[in-house]
Amino acid sequence: MGKVGKRLTAATAAFEGKEDVSVEEAVAMVKANATAKFDESIEIAMNLGVDPRHADQMVRGTVDLPNGTGKTVRVAVFARGPKAEEAQAAGADIVGAEDLMETVQGGTIEFDRCIATPDMMPIVGRLGKVLGPRNLMPNPKIGTVTMDVKEAVEAAKGGQVQYKAEKAGVVHAGIGKASFDEAQLVENVRAFVESVNRAKPTGAKGTYMKKIAISSTMGRGVSINVENATGN
């Protein structure tokens, strides 16, 4: 059995007996124990009572975090002509059409968010097997297939987070950095939880939000009281 490091031992002791706590207490605990030599990301995971294999139980959406994510988001836009120029002016990192499609098909994906104008979807559709598994496929339901390229690029750059339930009904995302103030992280956690709560699908039965937990990149997770997180 491997030796347990001092930092993990200290975190275990600090978190012992601390479960189902308030958002404020969870943030304070995770932030205090994010002691790595880099600015750790703070992540949230939500276990939902849904089966995403059924269309009427899929949970997906976007949320504009009030304090951003602390990450630099690289944005690619499929567009031509004036819309391509609009994307570049808005700060898109990569803009193209067939040339960008060929780049992605060749295995080069140097972006974190993909946006497309509707007329580009016949081209982008060919990349479904590449972009789909990476959750990068543009989708009108979450605003990444749009003629308002400027707004979409600025939202992505400004801290908008996309989420989608995985097979086990788990939604997870980065909601800030350890260097954020506690109040900023609390606001971001609540904004994310509220968005997922509003995205409850029609087919969800029984308890929708089963468990919520936050953690830092190198730290242990702590569970949050669901009623406290949702304000119910």
Side-chain angles (χ1 to χ4, degrees):
M1 184 176 178
K3 185 178 180 180
V4 178
K6 292 181 179 179
R7 195 163 61 81
L8 184 57
T9 299
T12 300
F15 286 15
E16 189 173 356
K18 298 285 188 177
E19 294 183 358
D20 205 28
V21 301
S22 68
V23 174
E24 290 78 6
E25 187 174 357
V27 165
M29 291 168 60
V30 169
K31 184 174 163 62
N33 285 276
T35 56
K37 294 181 180 179
F38 62 94
D39 192 8
E40 296 183 52
S41 293
I42 306 300
E43 301 171 352
I44 187 168
M46 301 177 65
N47 186 3
L48 306 178
V50 298
D51 184 349
R53 292 174 299 179
H54 300 289
D56 66 347
Q57 293 187 50
M58 170 51 70
V59 177
R60 71 182 304 164
T62 61
V63 55
D64 294 317
L65 296 179
N67 301 295
T69 63
K71 292 183 178 181
T72 299
V73 179
R74 301 167 300 171
V75 179
V77 178
F78 282 87
R80 288 195 183 97
K83 287 299 174 181
E85 295 173 4
E86 181 181 322
Q88 290 173 332
D93 300 274
I94 307 169
V95 182
E98 285 84 0
D99 55 335
L100 180 53
M101 178 191 71
E102 292 173 0
T103 299
V104 173
Q105 284 180 327
T108 301
I109 302 177
E110 298 179 334
F111 52 86
D112 310 297
R113 184 73 61 87
C114 186
I115 296 164
T117 53
D119 59 299
M120 288 286 99
M121 287 312 292
I123 292 174
V124 180
R126 303 177 198 174
L127 303 173
K129 292 183 179 179
V130 180
L131 298 179
R134 294 174 172 81
N135 201 25
L136 290 171
M137 193 68 181
N139 188 314
K141 293 182 179 179
I142 56 174
T144 47
V145 177
T146 177
M147 288 299 289
D148 197 343
V149 173
K150 179 177 183 294
E151 182 180 347
V153 171
E154 291 177 346
K157 288 285 188 179
Q160 185 186 75
V161 172
Q162 294 182 352
Y163 56 85
K164 180 181 179 181
E166 299 177 348
K167 289 181 179 179
V170 176
V171 168
H172 65 84
I175 47 87
K177 292 284 188 177
S179 58
F180 281 23
D181 292 339
E182 288 183 17
Q184 292 178 313
L185 290 170
V186 168
E187 284 185 342
N188 279 1
V189 168
R190 290 194 182 283
F192 188 88
V193 172
E194 287 170 7
S195 179
V196 174
N197 197 25
R198 289 194 301 270
K200 180 179 179 179
T202 57
K205 306 297 181 183
T207 302
Y208 177 50
M209 291 190 181
K210 292 184 173 181
K211 185 176 181 180
I212 303 171
I214 62 171
S215 62
S216 63
T217 305
M218 304 296 290
R220 296 178 64 89
V222 58
S223 61
I224 295 173
N225 180 280
V226 174
E227 291 185 0
N228 177 269
T230 57
N232 293 331

